[in-house]
């Protein structure tokens, strides 16, 4: 290769040359082995032939078979030779030479000659490249020296790193030790600094507690610090720490001064409640801002805390009692002067004589007697806006000469109780730090006297009340107020609500039972002139029942439903007894329909369409209406109706032939209907309009009667179209059914 490129490729060229020489030498050695093995084989063959008889050496001698030789003798032990022969025969070059049939001696000499030539060429090439080989040797020597120096340096680095690692471990141990000492010193310092800070009473604290008003924010902050120091000195005294003796006297004096100032401040606020016309909620809000004062007293001076608590309970108890007693008394002055009494029952006779006497000898009534059984606008009391609306102001109502039913006064009174009671319970829970039964006991000690007074007032009214709607409204007012307090999570008034409800429910049930008995014991013959129009007792029942049902929908009560069902049964019996007083069945049906329709109309205004009361009267009204329609059609069209019913029965039995002899009767019916049906329909319409007070109901009855008439006439047509009557001449006089329907529609009234 050129000398310019030997610098980078001398190593690889030398390796290739050496590898080539090694290959040639290996090949020559193999060839020598093969030749030697061949010579040995030839010699052994010649020796073997020497032992054969002469006759075996003739020209026509058979070929020598190796199996004929005795090779087991000592002279013919060829194991080692076989091993060399087999090893050399496996070589690729030998296989190629044997395959091509080359003379091994000649091939061996040729290979040896080639090896000598290559060796000479290689020697010449080495001599030619001697300078490069020398240069390469120098470079390798230089590299060895450099690598030796680098090995020395790396060994030095390794020893240095070993020493550094040991130094790092030493430093780490020292660092851990220093960190432990630091933490210990910091812990000791924090405890000591806290101890020193707590043991020191600053001059600012002393001056603030002694001189500043309790309403200052700075006083409140220093009071917190003083409370902490008091607690800390107590803790140190338990540990018998001598250092706390140095500040114990100062802390005690500051505590006494703070307790004195706080006691005076809170008592002044409590005494301010007693001033007339004072809104006690304002000082209460002020006390809430300084609720820590009572906490300080409770922790450090329980006798003073109890004194303040007792004073507050006594003061507020008197204030609430005085306020509600005065307010309840003034509310009663704006109640209706005339109230319901034992004669204001549903079944009691409503005579004109009594009204005349009341007109001449009593004060003008501020309410109508009918409102005892009518809800009217009284139900608006239960609406959310009215239920939580402003309370009544008695003197304002007196100036305006306004009067209210009892339930309005009851609502106003108990909403004031709800408002004040909830606020008071929240205040005492926050300021006096009481919860659970302790809070309820404290609340009852404040409001107990007031609640007893209100319960007694309600009991006195309930004992003499016969206004069941008023009592029922009061019940539902309390039920809603109880829900409000439950949503607010304030159980303070729960016992009172239950106590009042235990008064109102029995009275309401008693009044309802009295009304039931009054209707049951009513004598129809003593109720004056008979009239087919709705009776005033049924109207009372309808108004009353619809009122109770509509109120009871929000908080259903099964006992109320049971009593209403009993009342409904008695009213139905009363209506039947009254109807029996009429001589004719038609008048009886008119009376029943008018009363059922009126009761149903009133109930449907307030009660749900699927209520038991509505469904019951709907069924009764439908049954009596169908009966009245039959009764109404009977006089003008009774002959035709009876004939159609009789013929339909015979048709079902297949015995229609029995009516063949009724030709005269049929002719009379056909001609009679054709000549008089218009007049009869007109007369029916007028009679219905005169008999029923509800024109809508009268219209539906007329429509039902005309529909029934068309059905009967259609049945009449169907009978006369049977084969048995086709030969009758009267069939030609039958009115066309479609024409009849058109004419009937003209007589249908519209309202």
């Amino acid at each position: 290769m050129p000398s310019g490129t030997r610098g980078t490729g001398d190593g690889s060229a030398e390796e290739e040359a050496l590898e080539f020489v090694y290959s040639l030498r290996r090949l020559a050695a193999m060839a020598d082995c093969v030749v030697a093995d061949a010579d040995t084989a030839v010699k052994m063959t010649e020796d073997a032939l020497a032992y054969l008889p002469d006759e075996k050496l003739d020209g026509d001698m058979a070929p020598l078979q190796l199996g004929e030789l005795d090779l087991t003798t000592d002279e013919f032990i060829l194991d080692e030779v076989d091993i060399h022969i087999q090893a050399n025969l496996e070589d690729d070059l030998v296989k190629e030479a044997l395959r091509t049939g080359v003379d091994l001696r000649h091939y061996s000499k040729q290979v040896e000659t080639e090896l000598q030539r290559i060796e000479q060429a290689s020697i010449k090439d080495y001599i030619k490249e001697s300078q490069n080989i020398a240069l390469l040797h120098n470079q390798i020597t230089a590299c060895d020296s450099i690598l030796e120096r680098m090995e020395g340096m790396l060994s030095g680095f390794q020893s240095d790193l070993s020493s550094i690692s040991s130094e790092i471990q030493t430093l780490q141990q020292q660092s851990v030790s220093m960190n432990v000492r630091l933490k210990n010193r910091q812990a000791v310092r924090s405890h000591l600094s806290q101890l020193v800070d707590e043991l020191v009473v600053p001059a600012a604290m002393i001056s603030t507690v002694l001189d500043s008003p309790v309403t200052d924010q700075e006083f409140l902050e220093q009071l917190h610090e003083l409370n902490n120091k008091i607690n800390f000195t107590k803790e140190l005294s338990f540990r018998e720490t001598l250092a706390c003796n140095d500040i114990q006297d100062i802390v005690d004096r500051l505590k006494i001064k703070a307790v004195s100032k706080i006691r005076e401040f809170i008592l002044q606020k409590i005494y301010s409640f007693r001033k007339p016309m004072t809104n006690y909620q304002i000082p209460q809000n002020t006390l809430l801002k300084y609720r820590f004062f009572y906490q300080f007293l409770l922790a450090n001076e329980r006798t003073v805390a109890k004194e303040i608590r007792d004073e507050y309970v006594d003061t507020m108890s008197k204030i609430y009692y005085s306020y509600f007693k005065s307010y309840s008394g003034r509310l009663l002055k704006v109640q209706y002067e005339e109230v319901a009494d034992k004669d204001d029952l549903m079944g009691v006779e409503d005579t004109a004589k009594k009204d005349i006497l009341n007109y001449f000898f009593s004060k003008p009534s501020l309410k109508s007697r009918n409102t005892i059984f009518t809800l009217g606008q009284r139900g608006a009391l239960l609406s959310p806006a009215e239920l939580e609306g402003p309370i009544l102001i008695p003197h304002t109502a007196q100036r305006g000469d306004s009067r209210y039913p009892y339930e309005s006064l009851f609502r106003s009174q108990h909403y004031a109780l709800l408002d004040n009671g909830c606020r008071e319970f929240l205040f005492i829970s926050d300021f006096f730090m009481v919860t659970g039964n302790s809070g309820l006991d404290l609340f009852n000690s404040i409001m107990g006297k007031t609640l007893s007074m209100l319960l007694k007032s309600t009991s006195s009214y309930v004992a003499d009340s016969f206004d069941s709607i008023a009592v029922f409204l009061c019940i539902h007012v309390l039920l809603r107020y109880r829900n409000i307090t439950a949503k607010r999570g304030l159980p303070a008034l729960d016992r009172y609500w239950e106590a009042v409800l235990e008064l109102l429910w029995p009275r309401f049930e008693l009044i309802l039972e009295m009304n039931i008995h009054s209707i049951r014991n009513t004598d129809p013959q003593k109720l004056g002139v008979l009239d087919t129009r709705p009776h005033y007792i049924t109207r009372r029942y309808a108004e009353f029942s619809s009122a109770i049902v509509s109120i009871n929908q929000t908080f259903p009560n099964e006992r109320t439903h049971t009593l209403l069902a009993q009342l409904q049964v008695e009213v139905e019996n009363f209506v039947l007894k009254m109807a029996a007083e009429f001589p004719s069945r038609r008048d009886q049906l008119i009376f029943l329909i008018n009363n059922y329709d009126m009761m149903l109309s009133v109930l449907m205004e307030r009660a749900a369409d699927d209520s038991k009361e509505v469904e019951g009267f709907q069924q009764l009204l439908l049954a009596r209406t169908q009966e009245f329609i039959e009764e109404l059609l009977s006089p003008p069209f009774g002959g035709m109706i009876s004939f159609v019913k009789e013929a339909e029965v015979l048709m079902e039995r297949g015995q229609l032939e029995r009516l063949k002899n009724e030709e005269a009767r049929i002719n009379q019916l056909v001609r009679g209907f054709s000549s008089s049906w218009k007049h009869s329909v007109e007369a029916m319409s007028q009679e219905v309009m005169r008999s029923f007070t509800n024109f809508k109901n009268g219209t539906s009855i007329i429509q039902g009667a005309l529909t029934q008439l068309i059905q009967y006439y259609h049945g009449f047509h169907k009978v006369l179209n049977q084969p048995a009557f086709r030969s009758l001449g009267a069939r030609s006089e039958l009115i066309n059914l479609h024409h009849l329907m058109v004419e009937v529609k003209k007589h249908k009234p519209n309202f």
Side-chain angles (χ1 to χ4, degrees), residues 327 331 334-336 377-378 380-381 386 390-392 403-415 470 473-474 477 481:
Y327 183 66
L331 277 179
V334 296
Q335 185 184 3
Y336 282 137
Q377 297 299 320
R378 300 167 73 181
L381 182 73
E386 188 73 20
I391 62 175
L392 296 177
R403 292 292 183 269
Y404 300 93
Y406 178 77
E407 63 268 15
S408 295
L409 310 181
F410 183 86
R411 196 279 318 172
S412 182
Q413 181 186 60
H414 283 80
Y415 186 67
L473 285 171
C474 292
V477 166
Y481 283 162

Side-chain angles (χ1 to χ4, degrees), residues 571-620:
V571 170
E572 291 175 2
N573 293 335
F574 167 76
V575 172
L576 293 176
K577 288 192 294 183
M578 285 296 301
E581 297 295 319
F582 291 92
S584 66
R585 182 57 180 169
R586 178 175 295 192
D587 289 341
Q588 292 177 2
L589 291 173
I590 292 173
F591 176 80
L592 291 174
I593 291 173
N594 277 329
N595 281 275
Y596 291 153
D597 176 66
M598 182 272 299
M599 289 188 286
L600 185 61
S601 300
V602 175
L603 282 171
M604 292 183 67
E605 290 179 0
R606 296 185 182 275
D609 293 341
D610 57 349
S611 64
K612 295 180 180 179
E613 294 80 8
V614 171
E615 291 179 354
F617 284 115
Q618 282 178 340
Q619 295 175 1
L620 291 172

Side-chain angles (χ1 to χ4, degrees), residues 51 182 200 268 271 374 430 540 575:
Y51 289 97
L182 176 62
V200 172
Q268 285 180 355
Y271 293 151
T374 305
D430 197 3
R540 289 176 182 175
V575 172

Side-chain angles (χ1 to χ4, degrees), residues 14-47:
E14 292 172 1
E15 291 176 358
E16 291 176 359
L18 291 174
E19 183 67 26
F20 181 68
V21 172
Y22 292 153
S23 298
L24 291 177
R25 288 180 178 176
R26 189 167 59 251
L27 185 60
M30 291 173 61
D32 291 340
C33 290
V34 171
V35 172
D37 291 339
D39 291 340
T40 303
V42 171
K43 185 177 183 300
M44 290 173 63
T45 303
E46 291 176 352
D47 293 338

Side-chain angles (χ1 to χ4, degrees), residues 47-113:
D47 293 338
L49 292 175
Y51 289 97
L52 293 176
D54 294 337
E55 60 271 12
K56 294 292 184 181
L57 297 175
D58 295 338
D60 55 353
M61 184 183 59
L64 179 62
Q65 301 295 328
L66 293 176
E68 298 176 359
L69 296 177
D70 185 8
L71 301 178
T72 60
T73 61
D74 294 338
E75 292 84 359
F76 298 97
I77 297 174
L78 304 177
D79 291 341
E80 186 177 356
V81 175
D82 289 340
I83 293 172
H84 287 287
I85 292 173
Q86 290 297 329
N88 291 320
L89 288 177
E90 293 296 326
D91 190 270
D92 292 338
L93 293 174
V94 176
K95 288 181 179 181
E96 181 66 22
L98 292 175
R99 186 178 63 81
T100 56
V102 179
D103 187 2
L104 293 177
R105 290 184 180 88
H106 175 73
Y107 184 74
S108 174
K109 291 179 180 181
Q110 183 181 355
V111 169
E112 186 177 358
T113 304

Side-chain angles (χ1 to χ4, degrees), residues 621-632:
L621 178 62
L622 180 61
R624 295 296 177 261
T625 300
Q626 291 296 327
E627 185 179 353
F628 177 76
I629 288 174
E630 295 292 335
E631 189 73 24
L632 184 65

Side-chain angles (χ1 to χ4, degrees), residues 645-656:
K645 292 181 178 179
E646 181 182 357
E648 288 177 347
V649 174
L650 293 174
M651 284 174 62
E652 292 178 358
R653 299 176 181 176
Q655 302 174 358
L656 193 59

Side-chain angles (χ1 to χ4, degrees), residues 39-40 91 115 175 190 197 361 484 489 491 497 595 724 735:
D39 291 340
T40 303
D91 190 270
L115 286 174
S175 175
S190 63
D197 291 340
F361 297 102
I484 291 174
W497 300 140
N595 281 275
I735 300 175

